[in-house]
Amino acid sequence: MASEIERKFLVPAVPSSVELGSGSRLRQGYLAIDGPVEVRVRRSGDASVLTVKTGSGLSRTELDRELTEAEADELWPSTEGRRVEKVRFRLPLPTGDILELDVYEGALDGLVTAEVEFADADAAAAFDAPDWCVRELTGDAAWSNALLAVQGRPS
Amino acid sequence: MASEIERKFLVPAVPSSVELGSGSRLRQGYLAIDGPVEVRVRRSGDASVLTVKTGSGLSRTELDRELTEAEADELWPSTEGRRVEKVRFRLPLPTGDILELDVYEGALDGLVTAEVEFADADAAAAFDAPDWCVRELTGDAAWSNALLAVQGRPS
């Protein structure tokens, strides 16, 4: 079980100098959102994963289990009305960190966010984000994928 | 992924003629209860399982994944205030069915329920319960383990 320490940013525009490379299309559907606990199915190509997230804020705990396609197909209808679609690009930064750039589609079309995961809280605090990561969203539940899926983009 | 077709009964008293044998002590804690979706951790001895249940009524779908003890330990605090403890006895019936008798402990001390799982809806409908299975609880959400864990025994 992994402990996640990450920071998240709003990206109003990706500079054309940023090389995106090829992304992977992800669909996430939420089976349950219950206080600090989220249970989701993430599908990418023919790979699907069940994830339980607990805790809140900068540091969360995450449990992952692979699903067969048949299992994912059977669970998927229970996520109706609580889904996000996005293309994820992985950008290596000069700092050595990996920035995950999520370009949303469907109902969230136009939204772009960036996430960086860190080994510990010190590394997270020391991180100097690219200047196109304009607004920090870390710990703001309204910008979590779970609430974006349910409520849409915050106004 | 298993489809569950089962019937459930309230057992005010277990006749002394019923041989219980040895039961297994189960602790169930609910990570999330969100409409028809329940996500729980069940612990028995040193074996722990994560279960996602979807759907409602007579027939539900259930996904199980084993957890390591470390994973179960890490998830368990997120079930606080939403737990049941019981001893489960498996009784073979003359019909060939297996009756699972759950004798609750802790806050639900005194409650005893019986569940029988069937291969299909016809077998479920044809089942003739022992006369000490006094009141049918099938499909009554208030008697589900999830709501028993949260709300206690219905009055």
Side-chain angles (χ1 to χ4, degrees):
Chain A
M1 209 152 144
S3 200
E4 268 192 338
I5 301 175
E6 56 189 25
R7 291 175 65 185
K8 184 173 182 172
F9 302 88
L10 187 64
V11 178
V14 182
S16 53
S17 58
V18 172
E19 290 268 7
L20 288 181
S22 65
S24 51
R25 187 171 306 271
L26 305 177
R27 290 184 296 154
Q28 291 181 187
Y30 288 83
L31 290 166
I33 302 170
D34 191 348
V37 178
E38 299 167 8
V39 184
R40 75 162 189 230
V41 176
R42 176 184 280 175
R43 316 188 73 170
S44 177
D46 55 2
S48 295
V49 178
L50 176 77
T51 298
V52 178
K53 289 197 186 200
T54 58
S56 56
L58 185 71
S59 174
R60 309 190 69 188
T61 301
E62 183 173 322
L63 176 91
D64 294 312
R65 285 294 189 275
E66 285 180 21
L67 297 172
T68 66
E69 276 309 277
E71 289 169 335
D73 285 343
E74 203 160 355
L75 291 173
W76 195 248
S78 295
T79 69
E80 194 176 345
R82 305 203 287 190
R83 296 175 187 158
V84 298
E85 291 177 63
K86 59 190 182 184
V87 180
R88 172 164 283 186
F89 300 90
R90 289 171 58 84
L91 311 182
L93 296 178
T95 56
D97 300 302
I98 301 290
L99 184 145
E100 291 182 328
L101 192 77
D102 286 343
V103 178
Y104 292 78
E105 303 189 329
L108 294 165
D109 190 40
L111 176 61
V112 180
T113 63
E115 274 182 13
V116 182
E117 199 170 330
F118 303 96
D120 55 50
D122 287 346
F127 176 68
D128 193 17
D131 56 9
W132 44 270
C133 290
V134 166
R135 176 176 157 201
E136 180 143 15
L137 306 175
T138 306
D140 186 340
W143 293 90
S144 69
N145 272 223
L147 290 194
L148 288 171
V150 174
Q151 300 173 353
R153 182 178 177 151
S155 52
Chain B
M1 206 152 145
S3 199
E4 268 193 336
I5 300 175
E6 56 188 25
R7 290 175 65 184
K8 185 171 183 173
F9 302 89
L10 187 65
V11 177
V14 182
S16 53
S17 59
V18 172
E19 291 268 7
L20 288 182
S22 66
S24 52
R25 187 171 306 269
L26 305 177
R27 291 183 295 154
Q28 292 180 185
Y30 288 84
L31 290 168
I33 302 170
D34 192 348
V37 178
E38 297 167 7
V39 183
R40 76 163 189 230
V41 175
R42 176 184 279 175
R43 315 188 73 169
S44 177
D46 56 2
S48 295
V49 178
L50 175 77
T51 298
V52 178
K53 289 197 185 199
T54 58
S56 56
L58 183 72
S59 174
R60 307 192 68 188
T61 301
E62 185 173 320
L63 176 91
D64 294 314
R65 285 292 188 278
E66 284 181 22
L67 296 173
T68 65
E69 276 309 276
E71 289 169 335
D73 284 344
E74 203 160 356
L75 291 173
W76 195 248
S78 295
T79 68
E80 194 176 344
R82 308 204 284 190
R83 297 175 186 158
V84 299
E85 291 177 63
K86 57 191 182 182
V87 180
R88 172 163 282 186
F89 301 90
R90 290 172 56 84
L91 311 181
L93 296 178
T95 57
D97 299 301
I98 302 289
L99 184 144
E100 290 182 329
L101 192 77
D102 286 343
V103 178
Y104 290 79
E105 302 190 328
L108 295 165
D109 190 41
L111 175 62
V112 180
T113 63
E115 274 183 11
V116 183
E117 197 171 330
F118 303 96
D120 55 50
D122 287 348
F127 177 68
D128 194 15
D131 57 9
W132 44 270
C133 290
V134 167
R135 176 178 156 199
E136 181 145 14
L137 307 175
T138 307
D140 187 340
W143 292 90
S144 69
N145 272 223
L147 290 194
L148 287 171
V150 175
Q151 300 174 352
R153 183 179 176 149
S155 53

